[in-house]
Amino acid sequence: MNKEQELLRKKSPVNIRNKKASFEYFFVDTFTAGIVLTGTEIKSIRMGKASLVDTFCYINNGEIWVKGMNISPYFYGSYNNHESKRDRKLLLNKREIKNLQEATKQVGFTIVPTLLFIDDHGRAKLDIALCRGKKEFDKRQTLKEKEDRREMDRVRKRF
């Protein structure tokens, strides 16, 4: 990801992260995908009423889908409101989907959503990552590194 793309994600009014994913997995490769939304879903996302907890992606008939993504019903919606937890189709190139499908056939690899944001054209985008699961000792190492960084910041702040 280049600096322009990172700036776009930071500048976005909506940044919904899957914090657990970086603790549970090593990110091998990342992709940015569009999402097919219906009705009032985009309004709920713009209000920040979405969650990526316990979500994953799967490939079915050459299409990639995200499962378990929660977008709360729009508060001002009527009978037209959407289902909060439904499978949503992601928009990627055929070549990217084919590469992801081949990679997930290997043992230990999965596709996990990491960030939901609004781009500069007002469209909802989802960053997904091809991930390899961490072992228990890797998770302990991650916690140690996080604590060390905090301790260094505390010391730096004092002086």
Side-chain angles (χ1 to χ4, degrees), residues 40-57:
T40 55
E41 289 177 330
I42 188 66
K43 293 180 179 185
S44 291
I45 290 173
R46 286 189 181 130
M47 292 177 66
K49 304 291 184 185
S51 174
L52 296 177
V53 177
D54 295 333
T55 59
F56 65 95
C57 298

Side-chain angles (χ1 to χ4, degrees), residues 5-131:
Q5 291 173 339
E6 287 180 22
L7 183 64
L8 173 68
R9 284 160 179 72
K10 288 180 183 176
K11 179 175 85 165
S12 173
V14 177
N15 273 333
I16 300 167
R17 296 190 172 282
N18 187 353
K19 296 176 186 174
K20 198 174 183 181
S22 63
F23 180 71
E24 296 284 333
Y25 302 101
F26 290 116
F27 297 153
V28 176
D29 200 6
T30 59
F31 299 91
T32 301
I35 312 171
V36 176
L37 299 173
T38 60
T40 55
E41 289 177 330
I42 188 66
K43 293 180 179 185
S44 291
I45 290 173
R46 286 189 181 130
M47 292 177 66
K49 304 291 184 185
S51 174
L52 296 177
V53 177
D54 295 333
T55 59
F56 65 95
C57 298
Y58 65 95
I59 299 172
N60 187 15
N61 293 332
E63 298 175 337
I64 188 163
W65 297 80
V66 63
K67 188 172 184 79
M69 184 170 142
N70 183 18
I71 299 177
S72 299
Y74 183 57
F75 180 74
Y76 300 107
S78 59
Y79 62 90
N80 294 351
N81 256 342
H82 59 275
E83 266 185 67
S84 60
K85 280 199 171 193
R86 68 175 183 86
D87 295 356
R88 292 171 178 87
K89 184 178 175 181
L90 298 180
L91 304 173
L92 283 175
N93 293 334
K94 294 266 187 198
R95 177 178 27 88
E96 293 173 332
I97 293 173
K98 185 179 176 186
N99 290 341
L100 284 171
Q101 190 169 19
E102 289 173 6
T104 54
K105 286 181 182 177
Q106 298 174 7
V107 176
F109 283 91
T110 186
I111 307 168
V112 177
T114 57
L115 174 69
L116 177 65
F117 67 98
I118 304 288
D119 71 353
D120 53 348
H121 298 290
R123 296 178 293 220
K125 298 285 185 171
L126 188 67
D127 279 349
I128 60 174
L130 177 64
C131 302

Side-chain angles (χ1 to χ4, degrees), residues 108-156:
F109 283 91
T110 186
I111 307 168
V112 177
T114 57
L115 174 69
L116 177 65
F117 67 98
I118 304 288
D119 71 353
D120 53 348
H121 298 290
R123 296 178 293 220
K125 298 285 185 171
L126 188 67
D127 279 349
I128 60 174
L130 177 64
C131 302
R132 190 184 75 223
K134 285 185 180 178
K135 305 280 189 222
E136 192 67 33
F137 61 87
D138 292 328
K139 293 178 187 177
R140 276 187 249 129
Q141 183 65 32
T142 304
L143 287 174
K144 283 181 188 176
E145 290 170 1
K146 188 176 178 182
E147 261 184 53
D148 290 344
R149 266 187 262 118
R150 281 187 186 160
E151 188 63 34
M152 288 191 309
D153 288 342
R154 281 191 206 116
V155 170
R156 205 176 297 142

